[in-house]
């Protein structure tokens, strides 16, 4: 995954402006960065490790054609070898890509059998080899789009041709238009300051871009006329993908992140991880904060296949569970950053006692990935806001898929269950894309009712952990004291603190509808403020299968917390006293 920025111009310009474009795309990747440009009939490639906003790619040349990339590792470690651009065997074609290829391993094996040499462990590298020795790059690009499955966009250049070739297969690509240059980028806001108008590449199209012309073709090879939009963003907005805060942007990222998370999970690692779980003596799930809440949801998934798992805070694990860890124990360790000290500390202690570590992380090059016997990537993409949103929902996807694969060994699940889940995730993502703007409006209207010192968030069953996570979001994003609790427990003491005007957010459970109705009646009798989250509630969640309702219901809570934070004028992306990875 990553961000793409490129140019093709009538006359040579400073290649270093690629750095400026990539800095606006830092939210798409910050593990490494690279540039390729044409000079004296040669391809020059420069790469760096780390965040480009802190360490620019040093380049003093001028060129008419250049492409750049900032990467977030999902397939392959964050190393220089895996950094983009990636080339063919002859070093004549350079490719940068954003997205995930589903079937790259088979393609890679076929190419190696034909004599192609690979230097990276990324999926992207199959592309330049597929293009190698082409005599018609438009035709070759169309063939790549037909053959390579996945959700991706890519840009490539080749020596002797002052053009940029681009493919959009489900990930966005924009082409900024000026009389002297054309610019290509992964989003519209990053083109601010470069171009006033931009072509929006439709899905499943190929573009041939020269300094004075842009031709776009559909998968059948017929030329199409794409949409053109104005580029008008303030600089501080441009760096957040056009959103006022990273948190809101990342909530809107959720639909695509759900699909990416499912598609990025590789069969061989899922099979290995599930086999380890199926043969485990005992299983502990550990994490902190949002990761802990995702782990609690996984207990409902694993219980369906007859696997009993213990969910423990990583901070408490050494004092509560460590004595029961022996050879045969499996630890499912969840950390978005992969650097959370409590998680790493507990993992090391468990390894010393003979446990097998199954890591789940959004950072492939992290300490958790290194410490794990097997790890599964969350692949939600970079999350810049401290309040976690898309990593929570994507972690749920990973845990659900892992449970289904484990169920294959016990006979509780079949391949059709996995295929059905993919369809349900895709449908949920589609419905979320359509519903998010209305959800945001509803959240903004309701936020004034929540502008109090305290509130409750409550649900039952598989959505009980979502109530805990919702309360955490209110603490982080709006600095509101919030408690998440099980629906029945609300009536056993906590309700005594409520009074007229006290906000209570109720998530309609996928189970226990009678209990939900009793609680609603009790609170209404007290004249407390109720905000319901359901398919027909005050803020409407998207209808989906029971096991995905935690995703559907989490998003309205995230939006409510965000809008309350905006109402209060708080630094939502960087709450005081909090950091993305807690290291103590």
């Amino acid at each position: 995954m990553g961000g793409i920025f490129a140019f093709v111009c009538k006359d040579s310009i400073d290649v270093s402006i690629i750095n400026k474009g990539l800095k606006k795309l830092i939210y798409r990747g910050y593990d490494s960065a690279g540039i390729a440009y044409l000079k004296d009939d040669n391809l020059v490639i420069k790469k760096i490790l780390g965040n480009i906003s802190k360490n620019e790619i040093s380049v003093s040349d001028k060129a008419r054609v250049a492409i750049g990339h900032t990467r977030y590792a999902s397939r392959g470690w964050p190393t220089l070898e895996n950094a983009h651009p990636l080339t063919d065997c002859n070093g004549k074609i350079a490719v940068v890509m954003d997205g995930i290829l589903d079937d790259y391993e088979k393609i890679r094996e076929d190419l190696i059998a034909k004599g192609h040499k690979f230097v990276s462990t990324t999926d992207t590298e199959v592309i330049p080899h597929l293009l190698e020795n082409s005599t018609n790059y438009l035709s070759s690009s169309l063939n790549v789009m037909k053959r390579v499955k996945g959700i991706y966009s890519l840009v490539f250049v080749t020596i002797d041709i002052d053009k940029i070739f681009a493919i959009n297969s489900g990930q966005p690509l924009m082409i900024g238009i000026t009389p002297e240059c054309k610019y290509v980028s992964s989003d519209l806001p990053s083109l601010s300051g470069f171009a006033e108008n931009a072509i929006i590449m439709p899905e499943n199209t190929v573009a041939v871009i020269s300094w004075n012309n842009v031709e776009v073709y559909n998968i059948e090879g017929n030329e199409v006329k794409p949409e053109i939009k104005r580029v008008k963003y303030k600089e501080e907005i441009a760096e957040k993908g056009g959103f006022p805060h990273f948190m809101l942007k990342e909530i809107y990222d959720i639909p695509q992140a759900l699909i990416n998370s499912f598609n990025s999970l590789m069969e061989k690692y899922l099979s290995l991880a599930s086999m380890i779980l199926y043969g485990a003596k005992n299983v502990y799930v550990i994490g902190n904060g949002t990761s802990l809440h995702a782990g609690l949801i996984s207990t409902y998934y694993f219980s369906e296949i007859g696997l009993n798992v213990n969910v423990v805070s990583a901070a408490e694990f050494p004092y509560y569970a460590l004595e029961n860890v022996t050879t045969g124990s499996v630890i499912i360790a969840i950390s978005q950053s992969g650097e959370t000290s409590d998680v790493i500390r507990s993992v090391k202690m468990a390894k010393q006692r003979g446990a097998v570590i199954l890591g789940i992380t959004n950072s492939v090059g992290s300490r958790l990935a290194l410490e794990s016997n097997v790890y599964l990537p969350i692949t939600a993409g970079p999350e810049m806001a401290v309040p976690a949103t898309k990593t929570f929902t994507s972690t749920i996807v990973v845990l659900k898929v892992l449970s289904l694969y484990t169920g294959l060994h016990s006979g509780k699940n079949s391949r059709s269950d996995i295929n059905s889940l993919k369809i349900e995730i895709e449908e949920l993502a589609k419905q979320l894309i359509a519903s998010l703007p209305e959800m945001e409006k509803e959240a903004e209207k309701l936020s004034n009712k929540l502008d109090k010192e305290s509130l409750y968030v409550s649900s039952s069953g598989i959505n009980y952990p979502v109530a805990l996570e919702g309360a955490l979001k209110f603490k982080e994003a709006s600095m509101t004291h919030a408690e998440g609790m099980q629906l029945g427990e609300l009536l056993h003491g906590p309700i005594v603190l409520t009074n007229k005007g006290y906000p209570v957010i109720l998530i309609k459970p996928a189970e226990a509808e009678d209990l939900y109705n009793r609680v609603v009646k009790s609170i209404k009798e007290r004249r407390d403020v109720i905000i319901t989250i359901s398919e027909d509630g005050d803020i409407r969640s998207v209808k989906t299968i029971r096991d995905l309702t935690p995703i559907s219901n989490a998003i309205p809570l995230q939006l409510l917390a965000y809008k309350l934070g905006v109402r209060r004028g708080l630094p939502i992306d960087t709450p005081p006293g909090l950091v993305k990875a807690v290291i103590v």
Side-chain angles (χ1 to χ4, degrees), residues 420-434:
S420 296
L421 179 65
K422 181 178 183 180
I423 293 168
E424 293 290 351
I425 288 171
E426 289 172 346
E427 180 60 26
L428 175 58
K430 179 181 175 182
Q431 295 299 321
L432 284 172
I433 290 169

Side-chain angles (χ1 to χ4, degrees), residues 430-496:
K430 179 181 175 182
Q431 295 299 321
L432 284 172
I433 290 169
S435 302
L436 268 166
E438 185 60 32
M439 273 191 211
E440 185 186 351
K441 289 178 184 176
E442 290 170 351
E444 187 161 13
K445 290 176 184 176
L446 292 168
S447 64
N448 68 313
K449 294 184 179 181
L450 299 174
D451 201 358
K452 309 288 183 179
E453 289 185 3
S454 297
L455 59 86
Y456 287 144
V457 187
S458 185
S459 191
S460 188
I462 198 169
N463 284 285
Y464 165 45
V466 179
L468 301 178
E469 174 62 14
L472 177 60
K473 289 287 96 61
F474 278 103
K475 294 166 189 169
E476 293 173 328
S478 67
M479 295 180 67
T480 301
H481 173 256
E483 282 192 63
M485 63 189 65
Q486 200 274 342
L487 202 55
E489 291 298 322
L490 184 61
L491 303 180
H492 292 272
I495 198 168
V496 75

Side-chain angles (χ1 to χ4, degrees), residues 187-208:
D187 74 14
L188 200 63
S190 64
L191 291 170
S192 59
F194 292 99
E196 294 184 358
N197 297 288
I199 290 171
I200 312 299
M201 275 188 71
E203 285 192 22
N204 299 316
T205 58
V206 171
V208 181

Side-chain angles (χ1 to χ4, degrees), residues 1 72-75 99-100 256-265 360-364 376-382 390-391 394-395 398:
M1 303 179 73
Y72 192 74
S74 57
R75 297 271 177 83
I100 296 168
Q256 186 64 60
L258 296 175
I259 294 171
N260 288 348
S261 296
F262 185 96
N263 289 338
S264 68
L265 292 168
I360 297 177
T361 179
N362 199 43
S363 182
V364 169
L376 299 176
I378 295 171
T379 324
K390 63 180 179 177
T391 51
S394 284
T395 303
V398 174

